Amino acid sequence: MNVEKDLNFGVEMMKQAMLERKWSQNELAKRCGVDRTTITKICNGVNAPSIKLARKIGEVLDIDWSLFFTPYDEAIKLLDLTGMEWVDWTLSKLIKN
């Protein structure tokens, strides 16, 4: 796996925030006003969210919506400054898979 190529920090932050809240994809979808399949496709990397939906997800989960669209190198710098613990958690999950 090429972490730089495959990792989308916005999606990983979304998944982490959902886990912390014990929310299903269905719960997030309801709170964002979209169909569950939309969230599933984002989680699986099939589709990227629109800017409008990324903002809504960010608002609902209290995460930085712009990370859905931030290049890997820039995301690492931002996350390193704001939450190295999260970076460690995400990378450990990816390496295990």
Side-chain angles (χ1 to χ4, degrees):
M1 168 188 271
N2 180 344
V3 173
E4 288 187 27
K5 199 174 189 179
D6 298 336
L7 183 62
N8 180 305
F9 281 111
V11 173
E12 295 305 317
M13 287 185 76
M14 177 180 78
K15 290 177 183 179
Q16 173 64 17
M18 289 169 57
L19 281 172
E20 289 172 0
R21 290 165 176 76
K22 297 181 178 153
W23 287 3
S24 64
Q25 292 176 358
N26 195 49
E27 180 65 27
L28 179 60
K30 282 184 202 175
R31 290 174 185 255
C32 291
V34 297
D35 190 77
R36 180 197 52 81
T37 59
T38 300
I39 299 298
T40 299
K41 288 177 181 176
I42 294 168
C43 284
N44 293 336
V46 174
N47 291 344
S50 64
I51 291 175
K52 181 179 177 180
L53 180 54
R55 286 182 180 199
K56 184 65 177 179
I57 292 168
E59 175 188 319
V60 168
L61 293 175
D62 192 29
I63 62 173
D64 182 350
W65 68 270
S66 68
L67 290 175
F68 285 104
F69 311 103
T70 304
Y72 174 84
D73 290 343
E74 289 178 37
I76 278 288
K77 289 174 191 169
L78 287 172
L79 290 169
D80 192 29
L81 295 173
T82 61
M84 191 61 193
E85 195 174 296
W86 183 87
V87 173
D88 290 342
W89 178 89
T90 301
L91 293 176
S92 71
K93 294 293 180 191
L94 287 170
I95 292 166
K96 286 179 186 175
N97 296 331

